[in-house]
Amino acid sequence: MAIQPLADPAISPEDIYLFHEGNLHHSYRILGAQPETQDHRQGYRFTVWAPNAKEVGLALDRNDWKGEQAPLYKIPDSGFWTRFFPEISEGTLYKFRILTENGVELLKADPYAFHAEVRPRTASITSSIQGYKWNDGAWRRKQRAVYNKPLHIYEMHIGTWKRKEDGSLYSYREIADLLVPYLLEMKYTHVEMMPLSEHPYDLSWGYQSTGFFAPTSRFGGPKDLMYLVDTLHQAGIGVLLDWVPAHFAKDAHGLRLFDGTPLFEYADPLLAEKPGWGTLSFDYSKPEVRSFLISNALYWMEMYHFDGLRVDAVTSMIRLDFEKHSGQYRPNADGGLENKEAVAFLQQLNETIFKYYPYALMMAEESSAWPMVTSPVDVGGLGFNYKWNMGWMNDTLDYMKTDFHDRPSKHHLLTFPVVYSFSENYVLPLSHDEVVHGKKSLLDKMPGSYEQKFDGMRAFLGYFMTFPGKKLLFMGGEFGQFIEWKDEDELDWFLLDYDSHRKLHKFERDLSELYLSEKALWELDHSLDGYEWITPDDHGQSVISYVRKGKKPADTLLVLVNFQPVKRERYRIGVMRPGMYAEVLNSDHPDYGGSGILNDMQIATEKIPFHGHPHSLEIVLPPLSVVILKKNTRRKTDETANEVASVRPKALKNTNTNKTTAKSKRGKKA
């Protein structure tokens, strides 16, 4: 075993201490392969944590991967091995040769490598991540909290969004030229990229990583990814990364049994194994693992300028019994099922992130009823600022795929999510997980005929965009990808040659534009003050209506959604403020593929009490539609209002709770 020479500078005693305390927040600046100059000689210093190794060497393609020929030196009582190699240049292939205490020789990729070979090859590559000239300073300076701002996220998988004509992948740089104008056209505020950490298997989609600090080389090098993020920021588009601290792949070159012992994973297989995924959980009780993961989160924000992280599979981290049967998990010391070490890690992670980046977006994919996910750590919360609303997603999609005649019996799936919608800061996710593995695409989930699927999809998207919470839509949903996500090929962009898909695409674009322009749809997203039911209980007709409010009364919107393929000729709703109302969006417009049943005249309220309000109005509600109304704020005399009201027919006697006469214009069938 080679002992570290005192003359060879290495990781400092202070850094060693912080690493073992779980507080070396920028360990990526020290560990791995770092470019360095000694005695006017340029090279790379290699430093690795392998406390239980008997020997560690640098295995290179140039030494036939015989790492014993280039030993690293052990820093006493530290667990670290290090050495400066002056002859190593950028682009060198390497691994660590580790001889275990049992005499077994392992070849391991560098846990801190900044770059890796293109799969199926697995070597790490020396790479400098310094020197990129960023041009997104204006974007970064203007960042603020988004609680009362619009947040409309486009989730994408870079490898299957678009491909070249020969089926090959676009690089990070190439896709920037395609992606930026598209996101601007569609009015998305942010893009969320599925995991980009290096991974050996394409069909894991990046969720089973082996190289946590290496952007996948499928699409180019580190500075190519920097260019993509930089270009998006310069266009005013935020960039989020799907980040996976819950587990890692078992591949031999990865973290598993890194120095011959369970170093990054739990030693107890009942804690380490994720049997459903064939992966291993990180051991969150180890401060060194916490230093590794927290450094990794900061790395993506500091070196690549990501605006935040969507933290994958949080439930699998904090629940010891997640997707495990009896005998596959071990309760905690108190007999409970929560992983207290993972909870503490997540709290430390979020506190650290917000210390460095106060306006970062930290979003938890948490699918249970775990309380206070988005509450501050100092009051017992996990410390995220957003949580994916999986309950809303599951209930709503369950309802939307239900046949029309059964929808009245499932009306509660539309109303119950409101009960808890303000208990956390929520993002409404229509993500990749909902359009794979036989679940069908969003469009194909809709029941009915071909035309009714499109009508239902527009109504669903309108409901999605007007329900409280920030928004996330997976690629393809915006134009009606008809079959579920093909994770080995690009989206079916040719569908835009078809009228129905092209018009759905226009609807999504106009809906996005409306969302950005109407403060009522986001200004009070996380407060009950921003939402009020009008009609929660019209299950017989499968209609719901509600009010979305901004800080100013003039911003108020009325939203009506008809989930049946039946036109409601005279649908009355109560309103608090009398006056003239007009449509700001109707999903049945012919431009969107609808039949043209519109309320395109100004609608005057009538002094007819309804729904607990002193005034009401009535409209025609097209089949499978969303209609959004807004009060006209222009001042009118009483005489003008009365004159308008006088040309409207008097209300007929109700034969159903919500049926009365309305003055409306019916368009021609498209």
Side-chain angles (χ1 to χ4, degrees):
M1 177 175 61
I3 302 299
Q4 166 69 21
L6 295 179
D8 191 15
I11 183 172
S12 72
E14 180 183 4
D15 288 335
I16 291 172
Y17 172 81
L18 290 173
F19 184 79
H20 291 308
E21 288 292 305
N23 292 316
L24 189 58
H25 297 158
H26 297 92
S27 59
Y28 64 85
R29 299 177 184 174
I30 300 164
L31 276 71
Q34 302 288 342
E36 191 173 298
T37 301
Q38 283 194 28
D39 299 328
H40 307 291
R41 297 183 302 171
Q42 293 181 343
Y44 275 79
R45 169 173 295 282
F46 295 83
T47 306
V48 63
W49 178 55
N52 303 302
K54 187 175 181 179
E55 294 178 4
V56 176
L58 187 64
L60 306 166
D61 54 348
R62 68 182 65 174
N63 66 14
D64 294 325
W65 305 104
K66 298 186 182 299
E68 65 272 18
Q69 298 177 6
L72 272 63
Y73 306 127
K74 186 173 186 179
I75 303 175
D77 304 319
S78 72
F80 289 102
W81 302 74
T82 189
R83 185 177 172 184
F84 172 70
F85 290 87
E87 70 276 13
I88 302 296
S89 59
E90 185 166 358
T92 299
L93 303 179
Y94 73 99
K95 286 186 179 181
F96 291 118
R97 178 255 186 187
I98 294 177
L99 185 66
T100 72
E101 288 290 350
N102 296 328
V104 177
E105 187 177 275
L106 306 174
L107 279 180
K108 291 288 188 177
D110 181 359
Y112 282 86
F114 298 142
H115 196 30
E117 284 189 291
V118 179
R119 75 249 180 274
R121 298 185 295 274
T122 58
S124 302
I125 305 175
T126 56
S127 179
S128 173
I129 54 173
Q130 303 294 334
Y132 179 82
K133 185 178 179 181
W134 288 90
N135 294 291
D136 64 347
W139 167 266
R140 302 195 93 194
R141 286 190 296 271
K142 73 176 185 180
Q143 293 311 293
R144 295 293 184 270
V146 300
Y147 301 117
N148 62 348
K149 303 292 183 184
L151 184 61
H152 190 195
I153 305 165
Y154 187 70
E155 185 192 25
M156 68 174 297
H157 180 261
I158 289 183
T160 56
W161 182 65
K162 283 188 178 181
R163 290 194 174 183
K164 298 179 182 179
E165 289 187 7
D166 62 359
S168 61
L169 302 174
Y170 282 106
S171 70
Y172 293 118
R173 287 180 179 268
E174 291 170 332
I175 211 162
D177 295 332
L178 302 173
L179 182 61
V180 168
Y182 183 75
L183 295 176
L184 290 174
E185 175 196 359
M186 298 303 295
K187 310 298 182 183
Y188 295 108
T189 65
H190 290 68
V191 59
E192 179 179 301
M193 298 175 182
M194 289 171 66
L196 295 178
S197 297
E198 193 58 82
H199 51 283
Y201 184 47
D202 286 3
L203 297 188
S204 78
W205 313 329
Y207 289 99
Q208 297 186 13
S209 180
T210 52
F212 281 77
F213 289 83
T216 177
S217 52
R218 290 165 173 79
F219 314 116
K223 291 177 182 175
D224 298 320
L225 176 57
M226 294 175 189
Y227 174 86
L228 173 57
V229 176
D230 193 13
T231 304
L232 286 160
H233 279 173
Q234 290 179 61
I237 300 166
V239 192
L240 308 175
L241 179 65
D242 204 337
W243 185 61
V244 190
H247 59 153
F248 56 88
K250 291 183 177 181
D251 296 63
H253 68 284
L255 300 180
R256 178 177 178 267
L257 298 174
F258 186 78
D259 63 358
T261 68
L263 191 62
F264 288 89
E265 67 269 32
Y266 285 102
D268 184 346
L270 293 183
L271 296 174
E273 293 285 344
K274 280 186 161 36
W277 298 340
T279 56
L280 294 171
S281 296
F282 283 100
D283 183 350
Y284 306 106
S285 70
K286 291 181 179 176
E288 298 85 357
V289 170
R290 297 198 299 272
S291 283
F292 175 82
L293 288 173
I294 291 173
S295 296
N296 185 242
L298 286 169
Y299 164 80
W300 293 108
M301 293 185 182
E302 178 169 312
M303 300 312 303
Y304 293 93
H305 290 200
F306 282 97
D307 299 293
L309 305 173
R310 178 264 195 182
V311 182
D312 178 65
V314 168
T315 310
S316 79
M317 300 168 65
I318 60 180
R319 293 281 303 188
L320 294 167
D321 62 338
F322 178 79
E323 293 189 356
K324 291 184 177 181
H325 303 296
S326 179
Q328 291 183 316
Y329 62 88
R330 190 182 308 285
N332 62 34
D334 298 326
L337 295 176
E338 66 272 18
N339 185 333
K340 296 182 178 182
E341 297 154 357
V343 170
F345 160 71
L346 290 170
Q347 291 173 326
Q348 182 186 356
L349 167 73
N350 286 314
E351 283 192 312
T352 305
I353 292 293
F354 291 122
K355 172 185 173 182
Y356 290 99
Y357 298 98
Y359 304 118
L361 289 167
M362 293 295 292
M363 300 181 174
E365 187 213 12
E366 204 288 301
S367 57
S368 73
W370 190 277
M372 302 173 68
V373 172
T374 58
S375 294
V377 172
D378 58 11
V379 298
L382 291 185
F384 291 93
N385 54 5
Y386 279 96
K387 172 182 174 176
W388 276 24
N389 194 337
M390 308 296 280
W392 174 89
M393 179 272 297
N394 284 318
D395 283 350
T396 304
L397 292 182
D398 186 8
Y399 181 87
M400 293 309 303
K401 68 184 181 183
T402 299
D403 288 337
F404 301 126
H405 64 273
D406 290 328
R407 284 184 171 180
S409 66
K410 289 194 172 185
H411 196 75
H412 63 284
L413 296 177
L414 299 174
T415 57
F416 178 68
V418 179
V419 174
Y420 59 84
S421 286
F422 306 101
S423 61
E424 303 272 8
N425 299 328
Y426 280 120
V427 171
L428 307 183
L430 297 175
S431 75
H432 65 277
D433 275 331
E434 310 318 313
V435 293
V436 290
H437 302 321
K439 295 179 182 178
K440 298 184 177 181
S441 68
L442 291 179
L443 179 64
D444 201 22
K445 290 181 197 293
M446 306 296 138
S449 66
Y450 178 83
E451 292 79 10
Q452 287 172 336
K453 284 181 180 292
F454 283 91
D455 293 342
M457 182 69 176
R458 293 193 305 275
F460 171 53
L461 287 174
Y463 173 58
F464 161 66
M465 290 296 284
T466 57
F467 192 89
K470 307 307 182 186
K471 321 299 176 188
L472 179 141
L473 179 66
F474 183 57
M475 63 182 197
E478 74 274 20
F479 63 81
Q481 175 86 8
F482 210 97
I483 63 174
E484 64 181 30
W485 175 39
K486 301 176 295 181
D487 52 7
E488 295 182 88
D489 199 1
E490 72 169 12
L491 296 177
D492 290 335
W493 293 102
F494 67 86
L495 291 174
L496 288 173
D497 294 333
Y498 294 86
D499 202 45
S500 297
H501 293 272
R502 187 171 59 254
K503 290 182 175 182
L504 175 62
H505 196 232
K506 175 177 170 51
F507 175 73
E508 167 65 11
R509 181 172 62 249
D510 289 357
L511 185 61
S512 297
E513 188 167 15
L514 177 73
Y515 171 74
L516 294 181
S517 64
E518 295 292 345
K519 293 183 178 181
L521 296 179
W522 39 262
E523 198 169 42
L524 296 175
D525 248 340
H526 310 306
S527 169
L528 190 56
D529 294 338
Y531 185 90
E532 180 183 326
W533 276 115
I534 301 175
T535 313
D537 55 0
D538 189 6
H539 56 86
Q541 298 188 94
S542 300
V543 174
I544 58 172
S545 60
Y546 45 90
V547 177
R548 291 302 311 273
K549 305 175 186 177
K551 293 179 180 179
K552 297 178 180 178
D555 294 328
T556 299
L557 298 177
L558 311 181
V559 183
L560 299 93
V561 194
N562 180 7
F563 289 104
Q564 289 289 352
V566 178
K567 181 178 68 172
R568 309 301 176 189
E569 185 68 49
R570 302 177 180 93
Y571 198 88
R572 181 171 291 273
I573 58 171
V575 296
M576 176 62 71
R577 301 173 66 217
M580 306 296 296
Y581 286 77
E583 284 185 348
V584 295
L585 184 133
N586 185 328
S587 65
D588 201 52
H589 197 287
D591 286 354
Y592 305 140
S595 60
I597 301 174
L598 308 174
N599 297 277
D600 58 355
M601 287 180 62
Q602 298 248 1
I603 306 168
T605 59
E606 298 172 282
K607 203 168 182 179
I608 299 176
F610 217 68
H611 295 137
H613 294 301
H615 306 274
S616 59
L617 57 80
E618 57 185 17
I619 68 169
V620 61
L621 196 53
L624 293 172
S625 67
V626 59
V627 174
I628 304 175
L629 306 174
K630 189 174 186 180
K631 185 177 183 295
N632 191 328
T633 57
R634 288 178 296 175
R635 301 178 67 88
K636 288 184 170 61
T637 65
D638 291 341
E639 290 77 14
T640 303
N642 290 334
E643 180 182 354
V644 173
S646 68
V647 302
R648 296 170 55 80
K650 294 180 180 180
L652 300 178
K653 182 179 179 181
N654 285 341
T655 56
N656 190 295
T657 305
N658 292 296
K659 282 189 176 180
T660 53
T661 307
K663 177 75 173 178
S664 60
K665 180 178 179 180
R666 195 183 322 173
K668 295 180 180 179
K669 288 279 185 180

